[in-house]
Amino acid sequence: MAKKVITFGEIMLRLAPEGYYRFVQADTFGATYGGGEANVAVSLANYGFDAKFVTKLPKHEIGQAAVNSLRKYGVDTSFIARGGDRVGIYFLEKGASQRPSKVIYDRAGSSIATANKADFDWNAIFDGADWFHFTGISPALNDDVAAICLEACKAAKEAGVTISCDLNYRNKLWSKEKAGQVMGELCKYVDVCIANEEDASDVFGIKAANTDVTAGTVNHEGYKDVAKQLADRFGFSKVAITLRESLSANDNNWSGMLYDGTDYYFSKKYKMHIVDRVGGGDSFGGGLICSCLNGCDSQTAIEFAVAASCLKHSIEGDFNMVSMDEVNKLAGGDASGRVQR
């Protein structure tokens, strides 16, 4: 039987102008769905896992459309609570060259933000589960959702389920001080911590030396100390960090590091020309969870996770629509992009 993974968070309606149009130019907006933990669930379903996404959505047609977007790719939606009035929205303007992408949130009062503990039976949800994943976005919504996350972590730990968390700091949702306080409590239950090159600094004040992300300079050696400090503080069994060198909105260097409590493993570096970077970190998390559940060694795990995420940057929308074979091919060294016949 396929291993069972539970993810919990908010799925949102994404509205984006066509191509590289700016918000003020757009007459129409394309509508798709996505969200950190939902994106991870889709990745894992594509890899053949029994992926279940847990959230709360309205009973109306827009809520159902969000559910359908997950079912389309094989995600189990049976534990999605229904109720509330609205689906959260985010507007995305794609950047180009030296103009950065922009995101505007319209998510206040969304169904998940009005959820309460009674909406979720965690004992039933974690029955037979192998892994639980959440991110720092969900507890940032409000104190009630943070309390639901904490209850979920406690239930998962009691059920013997491995827990991963992507720190995913969003400064439009909460302050660094609040994030550090709330995530510090949640991380006591986490086994595998996932972060980008800025999260550890933003949330916990743990900084890598000789790094300037705005200048596209990432000191890989400095992140060894970041990973070790995180593991020592919270007892994580693994710490994975994505390393993005942003040369422009279109071109990034992309790699990652995994610390397993003993050694540090760095992936190969990819030079990416970006089609859509939203969901890039989530696809990394999905790849890492996949590798861990499949019993891969640490070097293989970080190579798979980074390759999966590299491919996501070439795909429109939040979801990473790639197969295990495609990821393994890139991780194995075939980065030519030649036509497959």
Side-chain angles (χ1 to χ4, degrees):
M1 291 180 63
K3 292 184 177 179
K4 184 188 296 185
V5 182
I6 310 298
T7 73
F8 170 72
E10 180 171 23
I11 185 169
M12 305 180 72
L13 172 62
R14 163 175 157 169
L15 298 178
E18 180 182 358
Y20 293 96
Y21 278 92
R22 304 212 70 184
F23 288 136
V24 294
Q25 292 177 285
D27 296 315
T28 60
F29 290 78
T32 56
Y33 293 87
E37 303 86 353
N39 301 342
V40 172
V42 171
S43 282
L44 290 165
N46 284 336
Y47 299 145
F49 291 91
D50 180 4
K52 300 178 185 293
F53 178 63
V54 181
T55 190
K56 187 174 185 179
L57 286 167
K59 295 179 181 179
H60 57 53
E61 289 85 352
I62 303 303
Q64 189 59 44
V67 172
N68 293 349
S69 73
L70 295 165
R71 288 180 176 169
K72 178 180 180 180
Y73 298 112
V75 175
D76 186 328
T77 61
S78 58
F79 285 108
I80 292 181
R82 304 303 292 267
D85 296 324
R86 69 182 304 244
V87 176
I89 300 170
Y90 82 91
F91 297 86
L92 172 67
E93 178 186 277
K94 281 190 186 178
S97 191
Q98 279 65 50
R99 175 172 61 84
S101 297
K102 288 187 177 182
V103 170
I104 297 174
Y105 290 117
D106 177 16
R107 68 199 306 174
S110 66
S111 288
I112 187 64
T114 63
N116 58 67
K117 292 180 179 180
D119 287 320
F120 308 104
D121 182 352
W122 293 111
N123 291 330
I125 291 168
F126 289 128
D127 183 30
D130 297 285
W131 198 286
F132 173 54
H133 179 76
F134 72 103
T135 78
I137 297 173
S138 298
L141 296 177
N142 58 48
D143 290 343
D144 289 338
V145 181
I148 293 170
C149 287
L150 182 59
E151 187 174 73
C153 286
K154 290 178 177 178
K157 189 62 67 176
E158 188 174 328
V161 175
T162 301
I163 302 174
S164 61
C165 175
D166 187 334
L167 295 180
N168 245 346
Y169 177 70
R170 296 289 186 268
N171 62 10
K172 291 184 178 181
L173 295 179
W174 58 357
S175 68
K176 294 178 181 179
E177 292 74 21
K178 179 73 170 180
Q181 174 189 351
V182 174
M183 295 306 295
E185 181 64 27
L186 290 169
C187 281
K188 295 176 183 178
Y189 299 89
V190 171
D191 301 292
V192 178
C193 177
I194 302 167
N196 69 20
E197 66 282 347
E198 298 178 279
D199 287 332
S201 173
D202 288 336
V203 179
F204 296 122
I206 300 173
K207 299 181 180 180
N210 301 317
T211 287
D212 183 356
V213 296
T214 61
T217 304
V218 175
N219 173 25
H220 288 197
E221 292 299 310
Y223 283 96
K224 288 183 178 180
D225 184 53
V226 170
K228 189 174 189 307
Q229 285 191 58
L230 284 169
D232 289 347
R233 182 182 299 189
F234 296 105
F236 301 136
S237 62
K238 291 181 174 65
V239 177
I241 301 176
T242 58
L243 302 172
R244 183 189 298 274
E245 297 170 292
S246 187
L247 309 179
S248 72
N250 297 102
D251 296 288
N252 290 181
N253 293 330
W254 184 248
S255 60
M257 186 206 74
L258 179 62
Y259 174 58
D260 63 6
T262 303
D263 292 313
Y264 305 88
Y265 301 86
F266 286 87
S267 75
K268 62 176 67 71
K269 183 187 293 187
Y270 297 96
K271 294 183 178 180
M272 304 186 303
H273 185 71
I274 297 170
V275 172
D276 190 337
R277 65 167 284 178
V278 177
D282 305 320
S283 58
F284 174 86
L288 184 69
I289 294 168
C290 170
S291 296
C292 290
L293 285 172
N294 283 336
C296 297
D297 63 74
S298 294
Q299 188 65 52
T300 301
I302 191 62
E303 295 289 2
F304 185 91
V306 171
S309 185
C310 177
L311 289 172
K312 165 60 195 79
H313 285 76
S314 71
I315 297 168
E316 294 277 7
D318 280 50
F319 298 157
N320 193 20
M321 307 314 304
V322 296
S323 67
M324 288 275 290
D325 287 345
E326 289 172 314
V327 179
N328 281 326
K329 190 166 188 176
L330 177 58
D334 185 352
S336 67
R338 290 178 64 86
V339 176
Q340 303 296 304
R341 300 185 191 277

